Amino acid sequence: MASRLFDGIYVRDTVQLTAKLMVVGPFGVGKTTLIGAVSEIEPLRTEEVMTQAGAAVDDISGVPGKTTTTVAMDFGRVTLADDLALYLFGTPGQQRFAPIWRDLARGAYGALVIGDSRSLDQSFEALAMVESYGLPYIVALNRFPDTPQYPEAELREALDLDPGTPLIMCDARDRESAKNALIELVRYLFARHQEMS
């Protein structure tokens, strides 16, 4: 089957399992960057240039140089093992796009919530949305150049995380770091599934 050979476009013939996962978080936290870093296909991006009208509601103080924003979704795919492929759906980070979340969350197994330790309070909305849809999740704090270091216990308390919810650090720009965050999510989802079986 020459047309089915894995060439970066088609899913490998060995893939037996696929999983839809959400990549969520506040505006400017690195969702599009993470999907772009890890996707083995050209990611679908629905980014538009930010306008003066959005300046009043989209705070770019923590992300200087940001000129675009996701307005519908990002999509990518990564094969984690010979038999497992993940379909990644990234959501816009602003509240005005909340209706899109509902549609994207249908059929998802879980979510990678990306946060920024410089502004943890901005993660609350994303965490509340994921919990309202009943999606299991882990939290990955993206490393920015000026990211301060805090003890994990303080971060967990500030985010009000359940003791069993994984909290990890990642660099959304780095393929291996992004991939490791997704692996951690898959391990967590598998362990939860085993517990419930």
Side-chain angles (χ1 to χ4, degrees), residues 81-191:
D82 286 340
D83 62 346
L84 174 63
L86 306 179
Y87 294 100
L88 308 175
F89 289 79
T91 62
Q94 300 95 318
Q95 175 60 34
R96 64 184 180 272
F97 297 113
I100 294 171
W101 280 54
R102 182 182 56 249
D103 294 333
L104 291 177
R106 285 191 188 112
Y109 284 96
L112 178 65
V113 179
I114 303 179
D116 181 350
S117 62
R118 301 173 301 175
S119 52
L120 289 175
D121 59 318
Q122 292 182 14
S123 297
F124 296 150
E125 200 169 276
L127 290 167
M129 293 278 277
V130 170
E131 289 173 355
S132 74
Y133 295 126
L135 290 175
Y137 63 90
I138 71 167
V139 176
L141 296 178
N142 192 8
R143 289 190 191 102
F144 289 89
D146 59 344
T147 297
Q149 298 295 315
Y150 297 106
E152 181 177 339
E154 287 182 23
L155 293 168
R156 297 184 72 79
E157 183 178 349
L159 289 167
D160 193 27
L161 294 180
D162 287 336
T165 302
L167 173 65
I168 62 172
M169 300 296 182
C170 82
D171 182 339
R173 301 165 299 175
D174 180 74
R175 177 175 171 75
E176 285 307 307
S177 184
K179 193 172 177 180
N180 286 337
L182 293 168
I183 290 169
E184 187 69 29
L185 173 59
V186 169
R187 284 184 179 142
Y188 176 66
L189 295 174
F190 181 74

